[in-house]
Amino acid sequence: MNRPKLSSLAGWLTAALIAIPSAQAQEQTTVVRWGPIELPAATAEGPGEAHNEIAGVSGLRAALLGLFASVADYPVTKPCEDCYITSIKPNLVLEDGTTGNFDNGLMLHHVVNMNFSRPDITCRPNIFSGQQIKRLGGLTGGNERFFASGNERTYSTITDGHGYYVGDGDDWGLVYHVMNMAPEARDVYFEYEFTWVDADAESRDRVRPMWIDIDQCGDSEVEVPPGYSDITWAWQADRSHEITDIGGHVHNYGISIAWRNETTGENACTSVAGYGPNSPYAPVGPGLGTDAAHPSGFNTVTSDPLGLGSFQGNISDMTTCHGGNDGPDVDRGDQMMTHTQIHRPDATDHDMGIMVGYLDEDFCLTNFWCF
């Protein structure tokens, strides 16, 4: 497990920043709170939801997006500027800092962190798409999706010597789905802990985030039948690169999600789901077990920093992969493919299979002119 529980910090203002000294002088830790997210009360028809709500936009962009989706009116403040982010730890909390989870009637279905100032390399802008994330990208120039979390809240760490660069003028936003199962309306907040280094004080290799999705450029949700499924999505690499760090996200009954180089046969990473003992939401059958991209089983976890009981049997963990400075190499033109294994008792129309990886590119003249 690599997702510590964030401390409760009651009484914060929206988007408050607190700098905390760390053991290494050049690295700092900043906790950022975004919100409030106003959740209506649950009813007999279902939970109260903020469904694909967008935050961090204003002016004409907010007016345009408001035609298609709910737009929040709070800013998405960056933890630092002219800096390299080295880790990201997400959480969902109530105003008093209490973690929101199934045990108190809350669920972080998903949240996607976007940098409006940079393009996304695997999903270029297209204003004609019918899905919210794609619309947002199309109207703002193809947003770079640099982090995402589901309710399991796996955090991201970036290999030493590398970092995700944040510029002075970078403009951040969020797209999220949060659910309230309680009979009263509640306000919740995203609370993220970032570690980072000042770019002037320490030089690092910049990594570029890469978004991998079984419903790429859509709303990230697909229909899945009962029984076993291996859902794939392919990407022909448009740049040579090394994968430094990567992790995945699936829903209940998911076994694993893998990123495999079909050209070379090398498996870059398999992110395996974890559930508490005797979970009613664990996969109802095995995976294929034929290769590294298709493990036969999920992980049974016996503890969690957020309190395993707070998940009430729902998926609580995803493993991550860190290639370090010798991660899997991908050549321009290689055929990459994601394999998402799910073994369900019934059909659904909203399963997810997502990975976010960080790339150390060999050489790019522009965002899309690479070798």
Side-chain angles (χ1 to χ4, degrees), residues 3 20 95 145 149 181 213 216 249:
R3 187 184 58 258
I20 305 171
E95 186 174 5
R145 297 166 288 180
S149 176
M181 280 74 77
D213 193 333
Q216 187 67 271
H249 165 69

Side-chain angles (χ1 to χ4, degrees), residues 112 241 253 270 277 293 320-321 342 358:
V112 179
H241 60 270
Y253 309 114
T270 299
T320 57
C321 303
I342 303 169
Y358 294 99

Side-chain angles (χ1 to χ4, degrees), residues 20-103:
I20 305 171
S22 61
Q24 294 182 327
Q26 74 274 17
E27 187 173 69
Q28 299 186 56
T29 300
T30 298
V31 178
V32 181
R33 180 179 280 202
W34 300 310
I37 303 155
E38 299 174 354
L39 297 176
T43 67
E45 284 71 42
E49 299 178 280
H51 187 236
N52 280 342
E53 187 167 88
I54 300 164
V57 294
S58 59
L60 177 60
R61 184 165 60 187
L64 290 172
L65 289 171
L67 299 174
F68 308 107
S70 174
V71 177
D73 62 359
Y74 60 84
V76 180
T77 310
K78 302 188 297 290
C80 57
E81 293 187 334
D82 192 22
C83 60
Y84 293 102
I85 290 175
T86 56
S87 73
I88 307 173
K89 304 174 186 178
N91 203 6
L92 180 74
V93 301
L94 294 164
E95 186 174 5
D96 65 0
T98 301
T99 291
N101 209 335
F102 282 98
D103 62 332

Side-chain angles (χ1 to χ4, degrees), residues 22 41 47 56 79 82 117 125 144 152 162 166 168 177 203 220 225 239 244-245 259 283 289 314 341 358 363:
S22 61
D82 192 22
S117 304
E144 181 178 76
E152 68 277 7
H162 298 75
V166 181
D168 289 342
H177 182 187
S203 178
S220 298
R239 64 201 66 208
T244 63
D245 311 274
W259 188 232
N314 291 273
Q341 293 195 115
Y358 294 99
F363 183 71

Side-chain angles (χ1 to χ4, degrees), residues 120 122-123 145 211-220 233:
D120 194 290
T122 59
C123 189
R145 297 166 288 180
W211 183 275
I212 302 159
D213 193 333
I214 57 176
D215 186 35
Q216 187 67 271
C217 302
D219 64 357
S220 298
W233 173 77

Side-chain angles (χ1 to χ4, degrees), residues 230-276:
D230 177 16
I231 304 171
T232 62
W233 173 77
W235 179 64
Q236 187 172 21
D238 65 353
R239 64 201 66 208
S240 296
H241 60 270
E242 179 182 79
I243 302 172
T244 63
D245 311 274
I246 187 170
H249 165 69
V250 296
H251 282 184
N252 285 342
Y253 309 114
I255 299 170
S256 61
I257 180 169
W259 188 232
R260 187 175 188 270
N261 190 325
E262 301 294 333
T263 301
T264 65
E266 180 182 14
N267 190 59
C269 176
T270 299
S271 183
V272 181
Y275 304 82

Side-chain angles (χ1 to χ4, degrees), residues 2 26 32 35 43 90 98 108 113 146 151 189-190 206 219-221 228 251 274 277 282 347-348 351 357:
N2 61 352
Q26 74 274 17
V32 181
T43 67
T98 301
L108 170 55
N113 295 76
F146 67 89
N151 196 66
Y189 299 79
F190 291 115
R206 296 189 187 187
D219 64 357
S220 298
E221 297 183 342
Y228 174 81
H251 282 184
T348 184
D351 260 345

Side-chain angles (χ1 to χ4, degrees), residues 321-332:
C321 303
H322 303 280
N325 294 301
D326 190 26
D329 290 318
V330 178
D331 291 329
R332 187 173 186 267

